[in-house]
Amino acid sequence: MEISALTRSVVKRNHAVISPDGYINSNVPGWTGCTVNVIINEQMGARLCQTLVTLQAGGQLVGKTQASQIFFYVVEGQIQVSVDGQDRVLSTGEFVYVPVGKEYRFENPTVGTQILTFHKVYEPLEGHEVPGILFGEKDDTKAPIYMNDEALRIQVLLPDHLGFDMAVNIFTYQTGGNLPMVETHIMEHGLLYLQGQGIYMLDQEWYPIKKGDSIWMAPYCQQWFTAMGKEPAVYIYYKNVNRFPTVV
Ligand code: UGY
Ligand code: MN
């Protein structure tokens, strides 16, 4: 018997696990014909926003970035995209990074297309250009081994240059692979599980995690993960990077 009073979701001071069973839809101006689930944002103490959008036939995402840049990743399906005059069709595993001040339009999705978004208020850096629009894709051949461990691979999706103040990476763990240490760091994370399952340790608490779950980790939330099950565990994650750690 299922008991509707149970969930794996938790929301704490410096981390959250959000499983899809508790989603309530939001209305976002310009995003129509879709359900929008705001999974992480400033209301919980975060400095990023993460949403998951599921589009119906005729659904559209139309807008213009202002203070925040947006990274859009197609988790499933296909959709036509136009950003500042650049037109593409994006399919599962493909993404577009939209910097501040750009118009974007997503339309004609296949039914059920799912898009993950990461939003961050852009912090300009004197002497470095604001990044341009960037299209790309998940590509396992571009995922080098992480920390000398054959069971771990990370693909870095955004270029390593100081104009960017956010990173988005895809982390793949072979079954039995685990983070080689407990990470304790200033950077914040938002993430979505794309495949597989495992156990995440967040601030000394232990959580079973699987495909479709999201996690928020505030700065200094201690973190460790081990993959379980019969297929690799894969998550896509956000990280703030490249800015001075205190007021200059
Ligand atoms: O880049 C990172 O900080 C990454 N290794 N953290 C994580 O996967 N929890
Ligand atoms: Mn980390």
Side-chain angles (χ1 to χ4, degrees), residues 8-10 15-19 191-202 205-217 224-229 233-235:
R8 289 181 301 106
S9 298
V10 295
H15 66 271
V17 174
I18 306 290
S19 65
L191 64 79
L192 174 72
Y193 268 77
L194 299 173
Q195 182 186 300
Q197 58 175 284
I199 302 289
Y200 232 107
M201 187 278 281
L202 301 168
E205 299 195 59
W206 301 83
Y207 300 101
I209 299 291
K210 63 176 185 175
K211 178 182 175 180
D213 291 344
S214 295
I215 298 178
W216 169 57
M217 297 175 223
W224 180 87
F225 176 70
T226 188
M228 292 169 60
V234 183
Y235 57 80

Side-chain angles (χ1 to χ4, degrees), residues 183 185 189 223:
E183 295 183 9
H185 58 63
H189 293 313
Q223 53 205 255

Side-chain angles (χ1 to χ4, degrees), residues 24-38:
I24 293 290
N25 303 333
S26 293
N27 280 329
V28 174
W31 295 12
T32 55
C34 56
T35 56
V36 181
N37 298 115
V38 181

Side-chain angles (χ1 to χ4, degrees), residues 146 171 179 181 183-185 187-189 191 200 217 221-224 235 237-239:
Y146 183 61
F171 204 157
L179 271 180
M181 63 191 178
E183 295 183 9
T184 307
H185 58 63
M187 294 77 88
E188 185 177 14
H189 293 313
L191 64 79
Y200 232 107
M217 297 175 223
C221 170
Q222 293 190 291
Q223 53 205 255
W224 180 87
Y235 57 80
Y237 70 101
Y238 157 100
K239 183 171 181 172

Side-chain angles (χ1 to χ4, degrees), residues 69-73 81 83-84 86 88 90 93-100 102 106 130-137 155-161 164 166-168:
Q69 58 208 311
I70 311 180
F71 179 96
F72 296 88
Y73 180 87
V81 179
V83 183
D84 205 33
Q86 296 187 37
R88 300 282 172 95
L90 296 188
E94 297 183 315
F95 70 84
V96 59
Y97 165 83
V98 181
V100 289
K102 300 290 180 204
F106 291 67
V130 177
I133 297 159
L134 188 81
F135 291 90
E137 63 189 342
Q155 183 188 356
V156 173
L157 299 181
L158 296 177
D160 181 18
H161 87 65
F164 283 95
M166 65 185 268
V168 180

